[in-house]
C-alpha cells in the first residue's frame, strides 16, 4: 500500500517547502501526497505531482489533516513551520503536532528532518 505524506507550510516557509518538493519530486512521486490549501496547490504546480488539497490551515486544514492522522490515513507530515512568526491559528498547529505524536506519525518541521523521512 502506498504511504501518504501531508505537506504543510506557514506563509514565510512556503517557498522553502516548494523548493524542497521540487528537489525531491522523483522520490515524492512514489507517495500519495496531500496538503493544506495554498501549499498543496503550489507544490502541485511546481512539481507536476498530484497533491490532494484540504482547506487552508487557518480555515481548518490543519484539523482535517489531524483527523486523517487519527484515522490512520496519513503516514508522515512535512510541516515547514515558522518559529519566529506568531500564527493566528496557533492552537490548531499545536493540536496537529500533538496528534502526530499521539499516533506515532513522523513530523518533519524542517528540511533536514524531511530529508530523513523520505530517504
Amino acid at each position: 500500500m502506498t504511504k501518504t505524506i501531508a505537506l504543510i507550510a506557514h506563509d514565510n516557509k512556503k517557498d522553502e517547502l516548494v523548493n524542497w518538493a521540487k528537489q525531491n519530486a522523483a522520490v515524492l512521486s512514489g507517495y500519495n501526497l496531500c496538503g493544506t490549501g495554498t501549499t498543496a496547490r503550489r507544490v502541485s504546480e511546481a512539481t507536476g505531482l498530484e497533491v490532494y488539497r484540504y482547506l487552508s490551515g487557518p480555515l481548518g486544514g490543519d484539523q482535517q489533516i489531524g483527523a486523517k492522522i487519527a484515522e490512520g490515513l496519513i503516514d508522515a507530515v512535512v510541516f515547514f513551520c515558522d518559529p519566529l512568526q506568531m500564527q493566528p491559528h496557533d492552537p490548531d498547529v499545536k493540536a496537529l503536532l500533538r496528534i502526530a505524536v499521539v499516533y506515532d506519525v513522523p513530523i518533519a518541521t524542517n528540511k533536514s528532518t524531511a530529508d530523513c523521512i523520505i530517504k
Side-chain angles (χ1 to χ4, degrees):
M1 187 162 136
T2 305
K3 294 191 178 220
T4 300
I5 297 177
L7 304 172
I8 309 167
H10 285 147
D11 288 344
N12 291 341
K13 295 291 187 168
K14 286 189 192 316
D15 288 341
E16 186 178 341
L17 180 63
V18 168
N19 288 332
W20 175 82
K22 284 171 34 178
Q23 292 169 357
N24 293 286
V27 174
L28 292 173
S29 69
Y31 293 94
N32 292 320
L33 301 174
C34 63
T36 52
T38 305
T39 303
R41 179 184 54 78
R42 288 192 53 196
V43 168
S44 182
E45 289 173 353
T47 63
L49 297 171
E50 185 176 330
V51 184
Y52 180 82
R53 285 177 67 182
Y54 289 102
L55 295 172
S56 171
L59 298 178
D62 297 332
Q63 292 178 332
Q64 288 178 302
I65 289 175
K68 295 301 177 187
I69 290 170
E71 292 173 30
L73 300 175
I74 292 179
D75 302 290
V77 178
V78 174
F79 185 175
F80 285 12
C81 53
D82 185 353
L84 303 178
Q85 180 88 20
M86 283 297 296
Q87 302 299 323
H89 62 293
D90 193 53
D92 296 338
V93 172
K94 287 185 174 144
L96 176 62
L97 296 171
R98 186 171 40 255
I99 205 79
V101 171
V102 167
Y103 286 92
D104 198 27
V105 170
I107 184 161
T109 57
N110 59 39
K111 182 182 175 303
S112 296
T113 310
D115 288 343
C116 287
I117 286 175
I118 66 165
K119 303 259 165 115

